[in-house]
Amino acid sequence: MAAGAHVGVLAERRRRGGLFRAHPAVRMAVVLIAVVWSLPTAGLLISSVRHPTDVLSSGWWNIFLHPFEGAQLTLLNYSNVLTAEGLSNAFVNSLIVTIPSTIIPITLAAFAAYAFAWMKFPGRTVLFAMIVGLLVLPLQMTLVPLLRLYTDLDLTGTFLGTWLAHAGFGLPLAIYLFYNYMSQLPRDLFESAFVDGASHFDAFIKLALPLSMPALVAFAIFQFLWVWNDLLVALVFLGTDSEVAILTARLNELVGSRGESWHLLTAGAFVSMGVPLVVFLAFQRFFVRGLLTGSVKG
C-alpha cells in the first residue's frame, strides 16, 4: 500500500511538471563541462575577428585585457575568405557532393534494412554479419584499392566517384541502425497488411518508411555533417582541381602549406558551418526523436 502511494505521489509530481531537481553539485558540474566544451569554439570565434598580426603574436584570451578596445577587432579575415578566388564554386561543389552522398546511402540502406528485418532469404544472417563486420574496417585501408579501381574506370576527379565512395563508407552503419529500428516496429501491423494483400514493397513504402522517419533523418544529419566536413576523401578522389574542389579543400589551400595563414582558417570554419547548422536546426525534432527511440517503453 505504501509503495502504491509512493508511486502515486511520483506520478502526481510528473503530472504537475515537478521534475526532480538536480543536486547543486551536479548543476555546477554540468555548467563547468559546458563551459570547458565551449572554450575551443569561443577561442576560434575570437581569433576569427582579430588582426592577423595579433593572432600570430598572442593568444585569443588577450582580448579580455582590453575588452572595450574596438580597434583590436576586424572583419578582414572574413572578407579575405569570402572574396577568395574559387570559394563560391567550392561552396556549390560541396553541396553537389554532400546532397547525393547523403541520399544514396540512406535510400539503399532503408531497402536493405527492411529486407533483413522482414524478409526471409538464404544467407540473410551471414550477409548481415558481414555488413556489421564492415563497421570495424578503417576507412583509410580502402582508399588505395578504391583509387586504383577508380583509375581503371576513369572515375578519379569526378563527382560520381565521390558519391559512390561516401555511399560505400556510410552504408554499413546505416543498414545496421535502420535494421535495429525497423525490426522493432509492431509485427501485428505488418501481418495485418500482408493479410490484406499488401506486398513487401507496399509495406516498405506505406508502413516502414513513415514509421522509421526519425531514424532516417537522424542518420541523414550525421551523414550530411560527415560528408560536408570531409577533407580526406575529397582530396583522394577529387584532388585539388579548382573545377571540382570542395569547400574544405579550398579552405585548406587558403591556410598555406605551412599553416602561415591559419587566421583565415578560423574565419573559414564559421563560414563553412553555416549550412550544417541550418540543416541541424531544421531537422532537430526528428533528430531528437531518432535518438530517444527505444529509450522509454510504453
Side-chain angles (χ1 to χ4, degrees):
M1 188 71 179
H6 183 63
V7 172
V9 171
L10 294 180
E12 181 66 17
R13 287 183 180 179
R14 291 192 182 96
R15 187 183 67 81
R16 295 181 179 180
L19 299 177
F20 294 106
R21 295 185 178 181
H23 192 276
V26 176
R27 294 192 211 172
M28 293 178 61
V30 171
V31 172
L32 180 61
I33 293 173
V35 170
V36 173
W37 186 270
S38 303
L39 274 179
T41 304
L44 197 68
L45 177 61
I46 293 174
S47 297
S48 69
V49 293
R50 299 183 72 203
H51 290 279
T53 54
D54 295 336
V55 172
L56 297 176
S57 61
S58 62
W60 59 268
W61 50 86
N62 285 275
I63 195 174
F64 296 107
L65 298 178
H66 307 282
F68 301 105
E69 185 177 334
Q72 59 184 332
L73 302 178
T74 179
L75 295 177
L76 180 63
N77 297 333
Y78 286 94
S79 176
N80 291 336
V81 168
L82 294 175
T83 58
E85 183 179 357
L87 191 72
S88 59
N89 184 57
F91 185 87
V92 175
N93 289 341
S94 288
L95 291 176
I96 294 175
V97 169
T98 305
I99 294 176
S101 297
T102 302
I103 296 176
I104 293 174
I106 289 178
T107 304
L108 297 178
F111 278 101
Y114 176 86
F116 283 121
W118 296 101
M119 299 176 67
K120 295 182 179 180
F121 53 89
R124 181 179 63 170
T125 303
V126 175
L127 184 58
F128 185 75
M130 292 174 60
I131 292 175
V132 174
L134 291 176
L135 292 173
V136 301
L137 182 66
L139 179 151
Q140 293 79 3
M141 292 181 60
T142 65
L143 295 180
V144 174
L146 271 181
L147 188 58
R148 290 180 177 177
L149 178 63
Y150 278 18
T151 301
D152 296 337
L153 298 177
D154 198 22
L155 287 176
T156 55
T158 64
F159 291 129
L160 176 60
T162 310
W163 297 340
L164 295 177
H166 281 301
F169 296 146
L171 267 176
L173 179 60
I175 294 174
Y176 178 71
L177 293 178
F178 296 166
Y179 167 79
N180 288 336
Y181 194 101
M182 291 185 181
S183 62
Q184 299 301 316
L185 295 177
R187 180 171 296 274
D188 294 342
L189 191 63
F190 287 87
E191 291 178 350
S192 299
F194 295 144
V195 169
D196 292 338
S199 63
H200 278 294
F201 184 78
D202 294 331
F204 173 74
I205 296 297
K206 298 179 181 180
L207 294 178
L209 276 186
L211 294 175
S212 303
M213 192 57 62
L216 298 178
V217 176
F219 180 81
I221 294 175
F222 278 123
Q223 179 72 0
F224 187 95
L225 295 179
W226 188 84
V227 177
W228 179 268
N229 294 321
D230 169 71
L231 176 61
L232 177 61
V233 176
L235 287 179
V236 172
F237 298 114
L238 283 180
T240 57
D241 186 358
S242 59
E243 293 297 323
V244 293
I246 63 173
L247 187 60
T248 52
R250 189 69 188 93
L251 292 175
N252 183 61
E253 292 181 1
L254 290 178
V255 178
S257 59
R258 299 183 179 180
E260 63 273 9
S261 301
W262 76 272
H263 58 279
L264 297 179
L265 185 61
T266 59
F270 282 92
V271 171
S272 64
M273 76 169 55
V275 172
L277 189 61
V278 171
V279 170
F280 179 79
L281 293 178
F283 298 101
Q284 182 181 13
R285 63 189 183 95
F286 293 103
F287 179 73
V288 174
R289 287 173 57 191
L291 291 182
L292 294 180
T293 298
S295 61
V296 179
K297 294 184 178 181

